[in-house]
Amino acid sequence: VGNTSDITLAQALEATTIGLIGDTVTINDALTADRLEVTAASGLTQSANGDLDVADLRVRGTAAVDLDQASNTIDLWQLRGSTSQLASLDLQTTGDIAIGGTAAEPLRSTGAVTIETTTGNIDVDSAVVSDSTQPEAITINAGRDKTAGDVDGGDIRLAAGAAFTVGSGGQVHLF
């Protein structure tokens, strides 16, 4: 299935399962779903009003993904499809998030990967691969807004299948 048109969600949307296929997908208002499946070739972005409350976010394609609103609530992120390789990923959420999952492919990107929670933990359940050669090729920051010594949240937990791979000279930062 292919759609080369752009999709812009300009009003709030709530459903059990939402599927979007487009060149660039832009979320400009609140989106709530148990499962959100997005296939995007060029971009997946959100505006300041485009808060996500999604239990299971599944992405396919080669898009630059910029879901960087700290008010997002995303429980599970999965890159799907053996040919999916993002251009980049900037993902922020408030609470705990799992990266990968049992059926997910490794998270692959040609550019930088940044995953942050403001207060929650990050469970890395699959490989995270960036071809970037930059100093911040992969940044995993759990509990960005927590203070040192706070025992609730802010942990990075690595499953048996977790691994980080970067391009020559690239670096992985875990906070």
Side-chain angles (χ1 to χ4, degrees), residues 70 89-99 113-124 128 136-148 152-158 164 171-175:
L89 173 63
D90 186 357
L91 178 65
Q92 293 187 37
T93 186
T94 56
D96 296 352
I97 187 169
I99 305 301
V113 172
T114 300
I115 301 168
E116 295 183 315
T117 65
T118 56
T119 59
N121 300 313
I122 300 175
D123 293 327
V124 181
V128 179
E136 295 179 351
I138 297 174
T139 301
I140 308 293
N141 188 352
R144 181 193 69 211
D145 295 347
K146 301 293 265 183
T147 57
D152 294 324
D155 295 329
I156 299 171
R157 300 180 292 214
L158 305 176
F164 301 99
Q171 296 178 5
V172 177
H173 296 273
L174 305 176
F175 300 99

Side-chain angles (χ1 to χ4, degrees), residues 55-145:
D56 182 358
L57 176 57
R58 301 174 182 197
V59 176
R60 285 183 168 81
T62 57
V65 177
D66 189 6
L67 302 175
D68 64 352
Q69 298 302 312
S71 54
N72 288 337
T73 302
I74 303 167
D75 299 331
L76 174 64
W77 160 274
Q78 299 181 56
L79 186 66
R80 290 298 186 97
S82 61
T83 61
S84 292
Q85 183 170 14
L86 302 176
S88 61
L89 173 63
D90 186 357
L91 178 65
Q92 293 187 37
T93 186
T94 56
D96 296 352
I97 187 169
I99 305 301
T102 57
E105 299 290 332
L107 194 166
R108 294 182 303 277
S109 176
T110 57
V113 172
T114 300
I115 301 168
E116 295 183 315
T117 65
T118 56
T119 59
N121 300 313
I122 300 175
D123 293 327
V124 181
D125 296 329
S126 66
V128 179
V129 179
S130 170
D131 294 341
S132 176
T133 59
Q134 299 303 308
E136 295 179 351
I138 297 174
T139 301
I140 308 293
N141 188 352
R144 181 193 69 211
D145 295 347

